[in-house]
Amino acid sequence: MEHVFAVPIDHGRPDGELIEVFAREYTSAAHPAQAAEKLPWLVFLQGGPGGRGNRVTSLSGWMKAAAADFRILMLDQRGTGLSTPADRVTLPHRGGAAAQAEYLSHFRADSIVLDCEAIRRELGSGPWTVFGQSYGGFCTLTYLSLAPHGLRRALLTGGLAPLEGPAERVYRATYERVAARNAQYFGWYPDDRAAVSAVIGHLRDHDERLPSGERLTPERFQLVGSLLGGNTRVDTLHYLLEDAFGGGVGGSGGGNGARLSDVFLAQVQGLVTRAPNPLYAVLHEAIYAQGGASDWAAWRVLDERPEFKADAAEPLLLGEMVMPWYFEQDPALVPLADTAEILAQKSDWGPLYDSARLAANTVPAAAAVYRDDIFVDRGLSLETAGRVRGLQVWETSDFHHDGITDDGEAIFARLLGMADPD
């Protein structure tokens, strides 16, 4: 079943302009229709920012486990999917860069939580269960801060955000973890160290084009390091590099006359474009901002980690770091460059978390903390966990950031049991 809800752009002005938030309801066929309508709700908050709700054709993984006891509400968070879109096509209709930035300032976790509360009331639901993955976990912490009365349970995977501090703190921690993951990966696949260097060296000297026609630059290629953030995705990275120059096993190594293969370029395009989710780049650092400007924190911290620079002798692959050049090189982001700059310099962001309320939390809550997560740092996660009263933590090295993709059924069941020990 599909739902469309009208919510205010600014929840502080409920009589102001409205936007739409789309949600799809999933229930198990094992429940007769009348019985399904009586099941309690579980709302899934997707990772991101800027990620739409999952599209599935059958219930598997965590959704299979959840559907045994819940009706699942899969949101397209504001600005994504079938909700009122926010992208290079629609945002110019808001006006210039300043108007666009003001509009997007209402697209953070606090607004998403208030959307959820408006939806909960419209559905006539009592307090419901929220399951937040990655950025969805950040939103869940905000939910516990702003509207705990709306929650029956809070479940989080790879999503315990730092409650305070500048964004640089996040990136210093994650650069360290990404560097360690690079070292681990190249230990498993020693020949891939030379392959990465060969591709980057080739891109410095050659104009290689993605299938879309845009240039693949050395620094943009480094973004394939996002594949380091998963148990099995590292193997995908290895297979990607096998295809780099073609020419059979080992390829041509990027020697004279070599060109990157079409197979390789087609795969890379899907990893380095933000066309499907531009809000990821535009708001990525804003999700950490509270009372100060993010000011391109990842870019500034890069000066402390020269091994990640594209002109290093053996450049490392990057993780979730959004740089100013992203808005010069990705056609989906170029029209939003001025808007992103205004948001990066915005210094009057409001708070996202209420430390006092979290310290007095009474909502049953459980979180999975992935020990080797390169996107959400373990140390910062455990620091936050210690400040949320009653939060049960399962720390594990069995999974990386995409754990619910690997074994979502078991992870969900474990967290639900931790939140409901009786």
Side-chain angles (χ1 to χ4, degrees):
M1 182 181 296
E2 298 178 351
H3 302 269
V4 178
F5 306 94
V7 299
I9 291 174
D10 181 354
H11 283 277
R13 300 175 57 197
D15 296 330
E17 183 182 350
L18 302 177
I19 57 174
E20 291 183 341
V21 173
F22 173 84
R24 183 170 278 119
E25 177 183 341
Y26 293 96
T27 57
S28 172
H31 300 295
Q34 289 185 332
E37 291 177 0
K38 297 178 182 178
L39 290 172
W41 287 102
L42 178 141
V43 179
F44 181 67
L45 294 178
Q46 178 64 278
R52 68 178 188 173
N54 297 336
R55 269 58 175 166
V56 301
T57 56
S58 63
L59 295 179
S60 61
W62 75 263
M63 293 185 72
K64 179 181 178 181
D69 300 300
F70 298 96
R71 300 162 76 180
I72 300 169
L73 193 66
M74 182 70 66
L75 293 185
D76 283 351
Q77 296 169 18
R78 55 169 56 199
T80 74
L82 296 180
S83 297
T84 301
D87 54 32
R88 66 187 175 98
V89 175
T90 64
L91 285 170
H93 296 298
R94 308 297 312 180
Q100 293 174 38
E102 194 284 328
Y103 176 69
L104 291 177
S105 70
H106 300 293
F107 279 66
R108 299 199 307 161
D110 47 355
S111 296
I112 292 168
V113 165
L114 294 176
D115 288 346
C116 288
E117 277 297 279
I119 291 168
R120 183 180 67 84
R121 290 191 297 269
E122 186 167 335
L123 290 174
S125 173
W128 55 15
T129 297
V130 169
F131 180 28
Q133 155 66 13
S134 187
Y135 176 62
F138 292 20
C139 294
T140 304
L141 279 174
T142 300
Y143 215 141
L144 287 168
S145 296
L146 298 184
H149 55 273
L151 295 176
R152 170 65 184 88
R153 301 175 197 83
L155 310 177
L156 306 86
T157 51
L160 285 172
L163 300 182
E164 56 201 18
E168 299 95 284
R169 188 165 174 252
V170 172
Y171 293 107
R172 288 193 176 99
T174 52
Y175 270 118
E176 188 67 29
R177 291 203 176 273
V178 177
R181 187 64 165 165
N182 270 265
Q184 187 177 40
Y185 174 79
F186 292 131
W188 292 330
Y189 296 110
D191 292 344
D192 287 2
R193 174 62 276 177
V196 167
S197 295
V199 171
I200 291 176
H202 177 82
L203 291 172
R204 290 190 192 117
D205 300 329
H206 298 83
D207 185 336
E208 291 279 10
R209 298 282 162 165
L210 297 170
S212 60
E214 61 206 83
R215 184 172 183 180
L216 178 61
T217 61
E219 59 269 25
R220 203 166 173 202
F221 167 71
Q222 287 177 276
L223 298 177
V224 303
S226 62
L227 293 174
L228 294 171
N231 271 342
T232 58
R233 280 155 42 101
V234 292
D235 299 314
T236 302
L237 176 58
H238 174 64
Y239 298 140
L240 171 71
L241 292 169
E242 279 186 344
D243 289 330
F245 291 100
V249 176
S252 59
N256 291 336
R259 297 304 301 257
L260 294 175
S261 74
D262 286 344
V263 172
F264 174 79
L265 292 168
Q267 293 174 82
V268 169
Q269 179 168 301
L271 295 169
V272 304
T273 181
R274 286 298 163 195
N277 56 344
L279 292 182
Y280 172 92
V282 178
L283 293 175
H284 201 270
E285 292 195 354
I287 68 175
Y288 299 107
Q290 299 182 89
S294 61
D295 191 22
W296 305 110
W299 178 246
R300 289 185 289 109
V301 175
L302 179 64
D303 284 336
E304 303 170 16
R305 306 301 304 242
E307 68 271 33
F308 283 96
K309 293 189 175 184
D311 60 0
E314 292 189 315
L316 298 185
L317 297 173
L318 289 164
E320 284 194 331
M321 293 82 169
V322 173
M323 312 292 189
W325 54 257
Y326 218 165
F327 293 85
E328 300 169 358
Q329 298 185 15
D330 188 334
L333 299 178
V334 169
L336 304 177
D338 291 343
T339 301
E341 179 63 29
I342 292 170
L343 289 169
Q345 302 308 323
K346 180 178 169 65
S347 60
D348 59 348
W349 294 107
L352 293 168
Y353 311 110
D354 185 329
S355 294
R357 184 168 278 177
L358 292 173
N361 174 60
T362 59
V363 176
V369 173
Y370 303 127
R371 195 166 292 148
D372 301 311
D373 195 332
I374 68 169
F375 300 136
V376 179
D377 178 69
R378 167 191 176 270
L380 296 179
S381 295
L382 294 178
E383 175 189 291
T384 294
R387 296 176 60 182
V388 181
R389 181 176 179 269
L391 176 63
Q392 304 297 308
V393 174
W394 169 39
E395 184 183 351
T396 177
S397 58
D398 291 341
F399 304 101
H400 282 259
H401 192 68
D402 59 350
I404 61 170
T405 301
D406 289 342
D407 195 358
E409 191 169 356
I411 290 172
F412 179 85
R414 180 163 185 158
L415 293 181
L416 187 62
M418 291 167 63
D420 290 337
D422 298 330

